[in-house]
Amino acid sequence: MTSKQDTLLDVAGRPAIEFPEPPELSSHGPARIIAMVNQKGGVGKTTSTINLGASLAELGRRVLLVDFDPQGALSAGMGVNPYEVDLTVYNLLTDRKVDIHDVVVKTETEGVDLLPANIDLSAAEIQLVNEVAREQLLQGALRKVTDEYDVVLIDCQPSLGLLTVNALTAAHGVIIPLTAEFFALRAVALLVETIEKVQDRLNPGLQIDGVLPTMFDARTLHSREVLARLVDAFGDKVFHTVIKRTIKFADATVAAEPITAYAGTHQAAASYRNLAKELISRGGAP
């Protein structure tokens, strides 16, 4: 359903779309696995993983967040100290005896569970080099819990190394968070090339679910020009939902809460709720 055009999306030359409330689910699983990927840091991957996950949970979806970055920012952002947990995703990848159910942590956000990570994960790339089918280790681990969730979101580290390839091999779809800056735009070509290689060699069913513009400032010509270029390059792959720049995200991070809990009535929370509806509407989530 098309509504009155939104000022932000006028810049990209597209009418705003009002996404409907998704239907309730009568059962859970199998999960659709989505990798949140961009080899450039500081583009809002972790923020988007946390808040999209929380928004999907508000819509009745069972969500598993996978912290796949040695910095452990996703774990900390969900209120879990990654250095106080006994097992992390690192143990899951390197020790076959570890059961994923022993690693999953319940979070304070209803409907959202977490696979935590810490600095130990930085050693995994070296340790796994000689493993058979090393690109498929995460896929094998997640297989045991996919029937328990509707959506699995993997927060990838800012690189295109073995861990990111593991995430892309395990995933059904990719969301590319991208700041409205030219330097961020330039890096996407290399990422798309990596995704295509994974499609060819490891995961032919992998698809790009969408490009998510983040940290957008409608007051600047620069942001508006980058958004327009994004739409020129990716067309309908660019989400209609645009995440504006706001200090509220930093405040929510300090509070270790999703923006939907920390400032539920703020426009930033509304944006991620709209993104969740858009993702479901596009078929990117059940």
Side-chain angles (χ1 to χ4, degrees), residues 32-213:
R32 192 164 189 279
I33 302 172
I34 301 170
M36 309 287 284
V37 183
N38 193 323
Q39 78 272 26
K40 189 177 186 304
V43 298
K45 283 191 301 294
T46 301
T47 296
S48 294
T49 304
I50 290 171
N51 294 306
L52 175 57
S55 297
L56 287 166
E58 281 188 350
L59 295 172
R61 275 62 185 165
R62 290 209 66 205
V63 179
L64 175 65
L65 303 182
V66 180
D67 193 343
F68 222 45
D69 186 341
Q71 296 178 64
L74 175 66
S75 303
M78 291 302 296
V80 175
N81 186 331
Y83 298 99
E84 292 182 354
V85 292
D86 294 327
L87 296 169
T88 67
V89 70
Y90 167 77
N91 303 102
L92 196 60
L93 295 178
T94 58
D95 187 347
R96 294 182 189 178
K97 297 174 186 173
V98 174
D99 187 281
I100 190 170
H101 293 95
D102 295 329
V103 186
V104 170
V105 176
K106 297 285 183 186
T107 73
E108 295 293 323
T109 303
E110 186 176 353
V112 179
D113 292 345
L114 171 74
L115 268 180
N118 57 30
I119 196 65
D120 293 346
L121 187 59
S122 61
E125 298 220 26
I126 298 170
Q127 287 183 239
L128 299 177
V129 163
N130 296 318
E131 284 284 328
V132 175
R134 60 186 179 272
E135 300 92 352
Q136 296 159 336
L137 291 170
L138 181 62
Q139 182 184 51
L142 291 177
R143 195 176 293 132
K144 296 178 182 177
V145 295
T146 49
D147 286 342
E148 301 169 28
Y149 298 97
D150 302 305
V151 182
V152 176
L153 296 176
I154 308 171
D155 182 29
C156 297
Q157 65 175 349
S159 83
L160 295 178
L162 181 56
L163 291 179
T164 298
V165 171
N166 254 269
L168 293 173
T169 303
H172 300 104
V174 180
I175 291 177
I176 305 172
L178 191 69
T179 53
E181 299 170 352
F182 282 120
F183 285 121
L185 195 56
R186 289 174 60 191
V188 175
L190 186 59
L191 172 57
V192 172
E193 187 178 309
T194 301
I195 292 170
E196 289 172 348
K197 285 180 181 177
V198 172
Q199 287 170 325
D200 289 341
R201 302 171 188 176
L202 295 164
N203 186 2
L206 182 66
Q207 61 188 63
I208 296 177
D209 286 337
V211 176
L212 176 65

Side-chain angles (χ1 to χ4, degrees), residues 242-254:
V242 173
I243 308 301
K244 296 180 184 177
R245 186 184 296 274
T246 171
I247 193 63
K248 285 292 182 184
F249 288 126
D251 294 341
T253 299
V254 172

